[in-house]
Each structure stands twice: as C-alpha cells, then as structure tokens.
Amino acid sequence: MLIHVNGDPYEIPAGETVADLIGRLDLAGRRVAVELNLDIVPRSQHAETALSEGDRVEVVHAIGGG
C-alpha cells in the first residue's frame, strides 16, 4: 500500500503500524515525533496505530543542543 512519509511516496505492506514504519526507517529506539494525517501519535500508541492507504506521515527526529 502507498503512504507518504515526510512528503515522499513510500510503499509498505498492508497492516503496518506506526511502530512498524519506525522500524523500517531504522528509527527504533530513537526520539522521534510522529504526525499521522495532521494528528500527533503519542509514543504509547505507535504499536496500535494502523496505517492506511494514502496516509500522510511526518516523522521528526528530536535533536539536542544548546
């Protein structure tokens, strides 16, 4: 199924979750914020939030600094 990740088309198998996508992007264990169709997905809901055809996902990496 086709979704968009940070504005780019991205093909994933049906039934994938936000957590699965984060793993595919090699971001597991990192501090990221995920927005799905303009709504923030809390980290506690990544594993249970299913993705659907045409979804728009924005993934932002948290960067420390000072």
Side-chain angles (χ1 to χ4, degrees):
M1 103 183 139
L2 184 66
I3 63 172
H4 287 84
V5 178
N6 294 343
D8 294 324
Y10 196 83
E11 189 76 31
I12 60 171
E16 292 270 292
T17 65
V18 169
D20 295 328
L21 177 63
I22 290 171
R24 284 184 178 281
L25 298 173
D26 292 326
L27 297 173
R30 296 191 184 176
R31 294 179 52 94
V32 296
V34 179
E35 182 182 276
L36 174 60
N37 300 322
L38 303 178
D39 291 321
I40 298 294
V41 180
R43 182 179 295 225
S44 62
Q45 295 179 11
H46 287 183
E48 61 196 48
T49 303
L51 297 169
S52 300
E53 180 79 26
D55 277 347
R56 295 195 174 275
V57 182
E58 294 292 325
V59 181
V60 179
H61 307 171
I63 299 174

